[in-house]
Amino acid sequence: MARLIVAAGSMSLLSVGIAWLILLLFDSLHIFGGSTIQTVFVFGFYTYCVAVLIIPSEHKAFYVLSMPVLSQFLHLFQKYDFPAGANSLWRLFPFLLGDLYMLSVLARFKTDLSDIEKSLIASWIAFNFLVIAISPNLAGIITGAFTLFLVTIPLYFLYLSILSQHPSFPATLERSLCLTFILLALGTFGLVYFGAQYKGASNLLVTRNISDTNITMAYFILLWPFAISYAMRSAYSWLAAPLLILLFLLVVILSFSRGAVFIVLPYLVASIWIMSSWKQMLWLMVPAAVLSAGFDNLIPLINPDLAYSWQLRFADFRTLGPSVRNIQEASGRAEIQRLAYELFLESPIYGHGTGSFEMLGPGYREAHSMFFTILAEQGLIGMLYLYGLFAALGYGLIKTTAPPRPILPVALGVYLVFVHSVGYAFVIVPSKSLTINCIAPVLLICIYFYSKTIGNDPVPTAHG
């Protein structure tokens, strides 16, 4: 891990330095952001993407897998200086670079796909092509939808199938996604911290950041099995595992996500129980005990303005029973989902197409529920197809996952609970908002190949 951090950090600093130097020489390149600092970091990230994909490195898997996560924060950092929506080439640029790299890998190495996997790729491309083509929002999403659904996700599947042929694949994947987990956590802290200063009538940014952290929590759910697995087998597991648990607890608290509190905290406790003996569990629960003891003073200590955001989200949820009953109504989700169901009734067989809910519904990019979003956009055919994929993945995890890894099917189950109750975090291709991404499908593909690889080999290569 240390070598990976040093390598990635060095490339980041070098890229930002190159961007800063080029901007000093060519003042006209300040189109990349609203301020000089913003411009340097945005241009530096594009430089980083090019450099890490071109320069030979033993950490290429991390660079490719972390790019969607890093791109999410780039989009928010860019704010409104670049055109919003999935058709913005500036926002798609990191994905296009990654696609080119994965194509180069496919040109040099052969995949070892089964007939079922080949059929899956073909059906995915054909199905998504059709639901994209019928969308009334096609002009607003066509570039991003075709890129992410029809190119990027299939390429990640093929790329990971090649990586999985190497004996060190499980350990490499754990290490790469553990660091990605840490970076995602740090980025989430930044979102909440800088958004907390906006209060009252000017709380647009804090509201948007809360929305972003709600969606981000789904990615933490899928990343967590890899992060905790890496930490538990580390030479310093006695320190690494508690620190990761503490980090996850802070993410849950500072995300101000009600879904995180009611869904993710039990998941975190369950994962600790699954991955450890009772003695280890007592030790690993120390961070939770420390955090609970000092919770009342934690948020004001970090930033007094954060207390406003916490109050904004949880003031009406004093007890567990009323909280669970009132979340849908208090958040407006019940009305949004009613509109999604009405759209389904208008076209129940194949729906209205990808991205149609944003245009035909109340203006949100999804219905805060996988079930209702798929109903409205893809109809009964989409329901059967997508839920069939999740059922097949779940069956495969239960069937092939080695005894120390029951956390994987648990992670999938918790993810499904989350996307049905909090927000449909899958492929994000809006025509208006900033973030464009396909993090969740990439992580689900990682889970598939990881479980397939460790089927009869429960202990990946040791690492320190």
Side-chain angles (χ1 to χ4, degrees):
M1 177 69 84
R3 288 193 302 171
L4 173 57
I5 294 174
V6 170
S10 300
M11 291 301 298
S12 301
L13 292 175
L14 178 62
S15 300
V16 170
I18 292 173
W20 178 74
L21 180 61
I22 292 176
L23 287 169
L24 286 179
L25 298 175
F26 303 98
D27 189 64
S28 60
L29 291 177
H30 278 79
I31 60 170
F32 284 92
S35 66
T36 300
I37 294 178
Q38 185 186 25
T39 303
V40 167
F41 277 98
V42 171
F43 189 30
F45 179 73
Y46 291 140
T47 306
Y48 166 87
C49 291
V50 174
V52 298
L53 294 177
I54 290 179
I55 299 174
S57 171
E58 62 178 313
H59 308 297
K60 198 71 75 174
F62 165 76
Y63 296 136
V64 176
L65 293 173
S66 64
M67 200 166 289
V69 171
L70 297 177
S71 296
Q72 173 174 266
F73 294 113
L74 173 76
H75 295 162
L76 295 171
F77 192 70
Q78 289 170 330
K79 297 180 182 177
Y80 298 99
D81 296 303
F82 285 175
N87 287 341
S88 172
L89 291 178
W90 288 119
R91 299 187 186 279
L92 286 171
F93 189 59
F95 297 99
L96 296 174
L97 289 174
D99 292 345
L100 289 174
Y101 171 76
M102 288 186 285
L103 282 171
S104 72
V105 173
L106 291 174
R108 289 178 286 137
F109 300 96
K110 291 183 179 180
T111 60
D112 187 24
L113 298 179
S114 66
D115 290 339
I116 293 177
E117 290 169 340
K118 292 176 182 176
S119 299
L120 173 63
I121 290 289
S123 66
W124 174 270
I125 294 174
F127 172 76
N128 282 286
F129 177 85
L130 292 175
V131 293
I132 291 171
I134 66 173
S135 175
N137 199 16
L138 185 60
I141 64 165
I142 184 170
T143 307
F146 270 79
T147 299
L148 298 186
F149 277 107
L150 305 184
V151 180
T152 303
I153 293 175
L155 283 178
Y156 267 108
F157 191 91
L158 297 172
Y159 174 71
L160 283 164
S161 74
I162 293 174
L163 289 187
S164 66
Q165 298 173 32
H166 197 281
S168 65
F169 171 73
T172 298
L173 194 61
E174 286 181 1
R175 181 173 58 250
S176 299
L177 294 184
C178 181
L179 182 55
T180 301
F181 177 92
I182 294 170
L183 293 175
L184 185 63
L186 297 178
T188 299
F189 295 155
L191 275 181
V192 176
Y193 183 88
F194 288 109
Q197 59 186 300
Y198 292 84
K199 297 192 291 186
S202 301
N203 71 345
L204 173 62
L205 184 57
V206 68
T207 302
R208 180 165 62 83
N209 285 351
I210 287 170
S211 174
D212 290 325
T213 50
N214 266 342
I215 295 299
T216 299
M217 196 57 58
Y219 310 143
F220 282 109
I221 292 170
L222 296 176
L223 282 167
W224 180 242
F226 300 99
I228 192 63
S229 294
Y230 179 86
M232 291 293 285
R233 276 194 309 280
S234 167
Y236 302 97
S237 60
W238 59 273
L239 178 62
L243 286 178
L244 276 182
I245 291 169
L246 180 60
L247 191 64
F248 204 177
L249 285 169
L250 287 172
V251 165
V252 172
I253 292 172
L254 297 182
S255 70
F256 307 108
S257 169
R258 292 170 291 205
V261 170
F262 298 125
I263 297 173
V264 180
L265 281 182
Y267 166 60
L268 177 57
V269 174
S271 70
I272 297 173
W273 179 76
I274 290 171
M275 296 294 295
S276 59
S277 65
W278 69 269
K279 292 182 179 180
Q280 289 175 315
M281 185 172 180
L282 289 178
W283 168 243
L284 294 177
M285 292 302 291
V286 168
V290 172
L291 197 58
S292 299
F295 177 74
D296 290 339
N297 299 319
L298 174 66
I299 294 180
L301 180 64
I302 298 174
N303 182 355
D305 289 331
L306 291 176
Y308 169 79
S309 297
W310 183 264
Q311 181 71 13
L312 180 70
R313 298 294 282 175
F314 290 92
D316 297 330
F317 297 87
R318 299 297 184 187
T319 60
L320 180 61
S323 298
V324 175
R325 292 194 299 270
N326 293 338
I327 279 181
Q328 293 294 88
E329 294 181 5
S331 62
R333 286 181 172 87
E335 178 62 19
I336 295 170
Q337 291 165 5
R338 183 186 65 80
L339 294 173
Y341 184 71
E342 291 178 356
L343 288 174
F344 161 71
L345 294 178
E346 295 175 9
S347 180
I349 304 301
Y350 48 81
H352 297 275
T354 302
S356 59
F357 187 74
E358 183 180 22
M359 174 176 285
L360 303 177
Y364 299 102
R365 65 193 179 199
E366 47 96 12
H368 296 290
S369 166
M370 170 181 161
F371 178 80
F372 286 100
T373 303
I374 295 301
L375 269 185
E377 295 194 345
Q378 300 177 11
L380 293 175
I381 294 177
M383 290 284 291
L384 291 173
Y385 182 77
L386 192 60
Y387 279 89
L389 291 181
F390 280 116
L393 177 58
Y395 175 76
L397 293 180
I398 294 172
K399 181 180 178 181
T400 64
T401 299
R405 300 292 185 274
I407 190 176
L408 289 175
V410 171
L412 177 62
V414 174
Y415 168 76
L416 290 175
V417 170
F418 190 91
V419 297
H420 280 83
S421 57
V422 178
Y424 181 38
F426 200 60
V427 181
I428 301 175
V429 283
S431 62
K432 298 177 183 177
S433 58
L434 302 177
T435 306
I436 302 160
N437 229 304
C438 59
I439 297 174
V442 171
L443 296 179
L444 290 168
I445 295 169
C446 288
I447 287 176
Y448 168 73
F449 281 107
Y450 179 77
S451 65
K452 182 180 176 181
T453 304
I454 66 171
N456 297 313
D457 183 15
V459 183
T461 304
H463 46 266

